[in-house]
Each structure stands twice: as structure tokens, then as C-alpha cells.
């Protein structure tokens, strides 16, 4: 097949299943004067349609709309005549209506004029061609399904008038050190005496930048909210002291464990408030979740999440109790960055950590320069009233259970209240848990009907577990107790793979039966030892067996994140230029955000 030439006819390369760009809005005959009114659709920023083939034709002379013509054919038929992408500085119409850049209406080839940086893209091709990567992993919905030879591009010249096929850019997982760039658990970091503090050993700096007391203080942001940080923290903890009704479901109190394990032992200030400088939490991990980012080709301006993970402590516990308790807190911060180049810069900050000695003064200072961007007060002024970058706070605990009455682990989720009419403005309030029904739906036909009715979306990872099932049946749970690791089942489920895809996206499924995990992805730790990571994260002891169908599945979450970090750090995008690699980037489906 001809790879390039002087004709303006669209020429495709070999078909590949690729992820692409774009925004699903219904458009009629749209004139050029209307393009300035186009808006990006948030629904497709994390779920772009798959691209089958694409090409770039540099124009003989630039025009106001751009210097090149982009042509795209999608893997699946697109009903709309127009899709909106970031073709340069703002929204650009990718169209199949025979107008503007498009040459033939309704032929399935979508076209747009874009600003294309041929020099930088060509340099990227040369870099990729020089790599000696033997194979790259292939993941689908967090499952390692294959390994294949990487695509080695043929370096070409983008001669004006020629139509050049463009292809995906494979990330090189071997270029990323997960222990330094993705999942940082080294004792030399999480016990850095200048940045952390251990109330049980007295080692470190009270209210250091990576201490639980400090991050809660920054989150409360008293200058902006008027909320005392100790009151803010106590308000969050008191959720376990009261029986709650969330989405009509009862979340039972665990007051005995709360008072016995946390509130009573917690040192107090002279005024009776919790002393946050002595907060009984030990840092377990600092986590880079850039893999959760959106597609900047669709207008996304986020770079995923970054996280602190803490474990509860009980200093000098009565025998036979242990100091490290079975209670983890995950603070999950959203990272707002502008367009492709901003996301790439964020990726490169994490990637640069891989060149420094883990836990060295230089490394820890560089890491703090990264964490300060999301953990300090006013990190996201758009999130009122606290101006905190926090997306949500999750807990996974057994320490508060009043055994044998509360015999199970429990997962909960909290968010900062921004609606005074619904909750305490500025406080951490318990909410429904993401993607997880109330456990009363286990084995029920309503669960099976929901999975059957949404099978294609569930298999694609684009479903969202609703608050209610039609007509008005409360569905999403206020908490979940995984028990011994139950799997979501119903006798009416038609497709076992859909059952698994639904289950692994739930909080309890990800933490137990669907991934072969024993409740914790990052385990509490004793002083001087690193946290143990789950097989799901590390890829050890694979495959795991589906608890219902018996199908073996291989997980290696950190390997997947390594691939995505390298691909993001090496994008060739520039301000006001079309983000070519974003057409093909594989984004974590919104269902799999745990």
C-alpha cells in the first residue's frame, strides 16, 4: 500500500485497534463561523472512541485554521457528523459532512485542519526508531492479555502535500522505575526525618510536609474556610460514631473501635482538641496515578491523581495487639494541568525521579517539590470552599470492628462538602462508594439485569454504577464489607466476562476476589520496614483464578502504569499544537479508577 505521495486522497496504513480522540456531539451542517462556539464534551475525555487509521497531510501553505489536514477513520461507526478535538489552541471540528477540511460527506473519514508540529513529531519518530525494546505489554481493563513486538516507525519526511499515515507510540515500561516514579514505599522516603514523623518512635519532624497532621491541616485550609484543622479531622472520624443513612442504606456505627483505637489514645491539646502533630498515622506510600488522566485531544486538562497512603497506629497497645493497625487511609488528589504539554511536564517531573538515588536528600527534595503541587492549601482554587486538590478520601479498615459483632473489613469513601444545603460546608462527608452497589444486591436479579442491560459499556469499562435503578430503586452503596471476599453474582447474568468486568470495578472486587487480593493493595507496616504490595500491583504469583468462572487472569498493575508514564512523558506536543499521540493513547476507562 502506498505510504505517502502528492495526492490529497486519504491513505491509510495497516489497521490497528487504537484509541483516539473526540467528542460525541450531534452536529448538522456546521459552518466555519460556528466553530468558535464549539465546546469539549467531558463524557469522552476519559472514553475516547477507538481509531482504526489516521494520517496527516501538511498543507502547501498554512491557513488560519492550521497548517495540516488530519484524517481519521474510527474502528466503530460514529453516528455524528462532527466531533470536537483540540486541534491547536482550542476546540476544532473533526467532521464528516463534506464541509471545511472534509472532502466527502458520510464516507467515515473525519477530517480537520490542525496545527501540526512536524519537526518535533519527526524527532519523536527518530527517538522511537532508535529504541531497542523487544516487547511491550498489552492490557485490557487491567488484565495483561498479551505481549507483542513494539511498532517501530519508519522515519519519514512530512513534505507539504504528501499524506503520511501516523501510528501509535508504544511506551517502554523498562524506562520507568516503579519504586522511584510510581509506587514509592522505600523506608528512606516514607521515614524521611525531615518530612515525616512517627508518634510511636518519636522519630522525625512533627507536622512535616508528609505527615498526616500536616496534610489534613492543608486540606482544612483554615484561612479560607475558618475550620480548625483538628475540628476538621474529628468531624471526619465521627462518621464511625454514628449510624448513617447514605442513599437510603444504613451504614452502621463502629463507635467502640473508634474510641478505643483512635480517639481515646490520640494525644490532646490543652483545649481538648486532637493534637495533629501527634496524629497516630504512619506514611505507607506516595503514589503517582497519572494513568488516570484524561485525553487532552478531547479538551481534558487533568493529569490523573496523586496519592498519600497512611496506616493507623496504636502506640504501646495492650497485648496481644500490634502497633500497626488494620486501617489504611488513601488521600486521592486530582491534578489539574493545561492541555497536552502541561500533562507531559507533570509526567516528566515524576520520570525525572528515576535518575536520582532513591531516598537521597536530592531525591526526597525533588519528590516534595512534586507533592507540594497537590498537597498544599490552595492547590486547586476551583474547588470551593477549601481550595484543596482532594478528589476523595477512602478508607479500608478492620481495626474499628467490634468483634465478633462486626466481623468484617469495611470500605468507605469521603469527599469535601461544597453544598451547605446538603452537608457541612468544607467538611469531609461520607458519600456513596464508587462503582459499588449496596451488598444487599448480591445474588439478586436486579444486579443481573443491570449487568445484562449495560453489558457493552461494562466490558468497555465505561459504565457508571448509578445511585438508583429505574424507576427509583437505590442501588449504589454507602459502604461495603467484603467479608471473606465475595464476588458479585446473580443467576440471571448472561455473560461471565461482563460479571467479572463489573466485579473488578467495584471497591470490594478490586480489593478481594476478582484480583486475588486479601483486602489491602498497600499493607500497614512496622517502623523500619516497607509496606507489602499486593500481587495485583506487582504481578507476582500470577495468574489469578476467576472466583466464578474459573478463568485464569494475569494482573500486573504497576507494569501497566510504567508503560503509560513513559508514553506520556515522551509525547511531542507543544502549546497550540495538535497532540498527535493522544489519538492513540489508551486511557484507563472511568470505571477502573480505584
Amino acid at each position: 500500500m502506498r505510504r505517502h505521495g502528492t495526492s490529497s486522497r486519504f491513505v491509510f496504513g495497516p489497521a490497528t485497534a487504537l484509541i483516539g480522540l473526540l467528542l460525541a456531539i450531534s452536529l448538522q451542517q456546521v459552518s466555519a463561523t460556528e466553530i468558535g462556539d464549539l465546546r469539549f464534551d467531558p463524557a469522552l475525555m476519559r472514553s475516547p472512541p477507538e481509531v482504526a487509521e489516521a494520517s496527516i497531510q501538511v498543507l502547501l501553505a498554512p491557513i488560519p485554521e492550521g497548517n495540516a489536514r488530519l484524517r481519521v477513520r474510527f474502528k466503530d461507526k460514529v453516528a455524528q457528523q462532527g466531533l470536537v478535538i483540540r486541534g491547536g489552541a482550542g476546540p476544532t471540528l473533526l467532521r464528516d459532512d463534506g464541509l471545511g477540511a472534509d472532502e466527502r460527506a458520510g464516507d467515515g473519514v473525519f477530517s480537520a485542519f490542525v496545527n501540526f508540529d512536524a519537526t518535533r513529531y519527526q524527532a519523536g519518530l527518530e527517538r522511537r526508531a532508535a529504541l531497542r525494546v523487544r516487547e511491550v505489554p498489552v492490557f485490557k481493563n487491567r488484565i495483561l492479555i498479551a505481549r507483542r513486538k513494539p511498532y517501530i516507525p519508519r522515519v519519514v519526511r512530512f513534505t507539504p502535500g504528501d499524506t503520511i499515515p501516523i501510528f501509535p507510540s508504544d511506551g517502554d515500561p523498562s524506562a520507568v522505575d516503579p519504586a522511584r516514579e510510581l509506587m514509592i514505599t522505600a523506608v528512606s522516603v516514607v521515614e524521611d526525618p525531615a518530612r515525616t514523623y512517627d508518634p510511636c518512635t518519636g522519630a522525625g519532624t512533627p507536622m512535616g510536609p508528609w505527615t498526616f497532621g500536616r496534610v489534613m491541616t492543608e486540606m482544612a485550609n483554615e484561612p479560607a474556610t475558618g475550620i480548625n484543622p483538628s475540628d476538621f479531622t474529628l468531624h471526619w472520624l465521627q462518621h464511625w460514631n454514628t449510624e448513617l443513612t447514605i442513599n437510603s442504606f444504613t451504614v452502621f456505627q463502629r463507635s467502640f473501635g473508634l474510641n478505643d483505637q483512635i480517639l481515646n489514645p490520640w494525644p490532646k491539646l490543652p483545649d481538648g482538641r486532637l493534637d495533629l502533630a501527634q496524629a497516630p498515622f504512619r506514611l505507607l506510600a506516595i503514589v503517582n496515578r497519572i494513568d488516570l488522566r484524561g485525553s487532552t485531544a478531547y479538551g481534558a486538562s487533568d493529569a490523573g491523581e496523586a496519592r498519600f497512603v497512611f496506616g493507623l497506629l496504636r502506640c504501646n497497645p495492650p497485648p496481644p495487639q500490634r502497633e500497626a493497625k488494620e486501617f489504611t487511609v488513601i488521600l486521592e488528589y486530582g491534578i489539574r494541568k493545561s492541555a497536552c504539554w502541561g500533562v507531559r511536564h507533570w509526567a516528566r517531573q515524576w520520570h525525572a525521579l528515576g535518575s536520582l538515588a532513591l531516598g537521597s536528600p536530592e531525591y526526597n527534595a525533588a519528590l516534595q517539590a512534586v507533592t507540594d503541587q497537590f498537597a498544599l492549601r490552595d492547590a486547586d482554587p476551583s474547588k470551593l470552599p477549601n481550595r484543596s486538590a482532594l478528589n476523595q478520601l477512602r478508607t479500608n479498615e478492620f481495626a474499628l470492628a467490634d468483634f465478633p459483632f462486626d466481623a468484617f473489613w469495611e470500605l468507605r469513601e469521603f469527599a469535601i462538602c461544597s453544598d451547605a444545603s446538603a452537608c457541612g460546608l468544607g467538611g469531609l462527608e461520607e458519600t456513596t462508594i464508587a462503582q459499588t452497589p449496596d451488598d444487599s444486591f448480591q445474588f439478586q436479579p436486579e444486579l443481573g439485569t443491570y449487568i445484562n442491560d449495560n453489558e457493552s459499556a461494562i466490558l468497555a469499562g465505561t459504565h457508571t454504577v448509578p445511585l438508583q435503578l429505574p424507576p427509583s430503586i437505590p442501588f449504589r452503596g454507602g459502604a461495603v464489607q467484603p467479608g471473606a471476599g465475595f464476588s458479585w453474582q446473580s443467576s440471571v447474568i448472561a455473560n461471565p466476562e461482563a460479571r467479572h468486568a463489573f466485579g473488578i470495578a467495584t471497591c470490594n472486587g478490586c480489593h478481594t476476589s476478582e484480583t486475588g487480593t486479601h483486602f489491602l493493595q498497600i499493607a500497614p507496616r512496622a517502623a523500619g520496614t516497607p509496606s507489602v504490595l499486593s500481587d495485583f500491583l506487582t504481578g507476582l504469583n500470577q495468574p489469578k483464578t476467576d472466583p466464578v468462572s474459573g478463568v485464569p487472569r494475569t494482573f500486573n498493575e504497576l507494569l501497566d502504569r510504567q508503560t503509560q508514564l513513559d508514553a506520556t512523558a515522551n509525547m511531542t506536543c507543544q502549546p497550540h499544537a495538535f497532540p498527535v499521540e493522544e489519538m492513540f493513547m489508551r486511557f484507563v476507562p472511568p470505571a477502573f479508577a480505584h
Side-chain angles (χ1 to χ4, degrees), residues 171-183 288 347 350-351 354 558-559 561-570:
D172 176 11
S174 68
V176 173
D177 182 354
R180 287 185 284 179
E181 303 173 45
L182 292 171
M183 179 68 66
N288 172 11
W350 286 98
H351 200 21
L558 287 175
L559 180 65
R561 298 181 197 176
Q562 288 169 241
T563 304
Q564 296 188 59
L565 176 57
D566 182 69
T568 302
N570 286 293

Side-chain angles (χ1 to χ4, degrees), residues 439 441-443 447 451 481-490 493 499-500 502-504 506 508-510 512-515 545-549:
D439 57 17
F441 286 93
Q442 170 71 327
F443 297 118
L447 174 69
I451 293 175
Q481 294 187 356
F486 77 84
S487 54
W488 291 102
Q489 298 183 55
S490 170
I493 295 175
R499 186 217 65 80
H500 167 75
F502 175 86
I504 196 175
T506 64
N508 64 291
C510 179
T512 58
S513 60
E514 304 297 343
T515 62
T545 301
D546 186 296
V548 177
S549 68

Side-chain angles (χ1 to χ4, degrees), residues 317-489:
Q321 294 186 30
R322 295 180 299 173
E323 180 181 273
K325 309 305 294 183
E326 294 173 312
F327 186 124
T328 60
V329 182
I330 308 95
L331 298 106
E332 305 177 351
Y333 298 88
I335 309 301
R336 189 180 299 275
K337 296 294 179 182
S338 296
C340 179
W341 61 272
V343 173
R344 184 189 62 185
H345 179 65
W346 179 247
R348 288 181 175 180
Q349 291 181 66
W350 286 98
H351 200 21
L353 296 172
S355 64
L356 303 174
L358 183 62
S360 66
E362 295 79 11
Y363 178 92
N364 290 0
L367 179 58
Q368 186 189 337
V370 172
T371 62
D372 281 351
Q373 295 176 60
F374 59 82
L376 294 182
R377 66 186 59 179
D378 302 320
D380 191 340
S382 71
K383 292 183 177 179
L384 299 175
N386 297 52
R387 301 166 63 92
S388 169
L390 187 81
N391 281 347
Q392 59 274 324
L393 180 153
R394 303 183 203 259
T395 62
N396 187 9
E397 59 82 18
F398 184 61
L400 306 189
D402 185 8
F403 189 83
F405 305 104
D406 297 320
F408 302 119
W409 287 77
E410 188 170 69
L411 293 91
R412 299 191 182 199
E413 185 170 329
F414 302 80
I416 293 176
C417 175
S418 59
D419 183 357
S421 65
C423 48
L425 188 66
L428 275 170
E429 304 294 340
E430 189 162 347
T431 184
T432 56
I433 47 176
Q435 297 294 75
T436 309
D438 185 76
D439 57 17
S440 62
F441 286 93
Q442 170 71 327
F443 297 118
Q444 298 305 306
E446 292 89 349
L447 174 69
T449 299
Y450 171 79
I451 293 175
N452 292 340
D453 289 348
N454 296 275
E455 180 179 312
S456 60
I458 289 171
L459 289 172
T462 59
H463 72 288
T464 298
V465 171
L467 283 173
Q468 295 185 332
L469 295 176
S472 58
I473 303 171
F475 189 49
R476 199 188 311 158
V480 66
Q481 294 187 356
F486 77 84
S487 54
W488 291 102
Q489 298 183 55

Side-chain angles (χ1 to χ4, degrees), residues 270-343:
D271 62 3
R273 286 186 165 110
L274 302 176
D275 184 355
L276 292 185
Q278 300 293 323
F281 288 91
R282 177 177 286 151
L283 181 62
L284 306 181
I286 298 174
V287 186
N288 172 11
R289 292 304 309 271
I290 198 171
D291 60 297
L292 297 179
R293 72 182 183 89
S295 170
T296 62
Y298 301 90
S301 295
D302 78 274
E305 290 185 347
R307 300 176 176 180
F308 285 115
V309 184
F310 291 93
L312 176 68
L313 298 175
R314 174 76 184 274
C315 301
N316 302 312
Q321 294 186 30
R322 295 180 299 173
E323 180 181 273
K325 309 305 294 183
E326 294 173 312
F327 186 124
T328 60
V329 182
I330 308 95
L331 298 106
E332 305 177 351
Y333 298 88
I335 309 301
R336 189 180 299 275
K337 296 294 179 182
S338 296
C340 179
W341 61 272
V343 173

Side-chain angles (χ1 to χ4, degrees), residues 83-116:
L83 305 169
V84 178
I85 63 171
R86 191 189 297 273
T92 297
L93 185 61
L94 186 74
R95 57 204 310 165
D96 184 23
D97 58 3
L99 299 177
D102 191 54
E103 296 160 312
R104 183 181 300 172
D107 63 353
V109 176
F110 287 75
S111 305
F113 293 120
V114 299
N115 289 318
F116 175 62

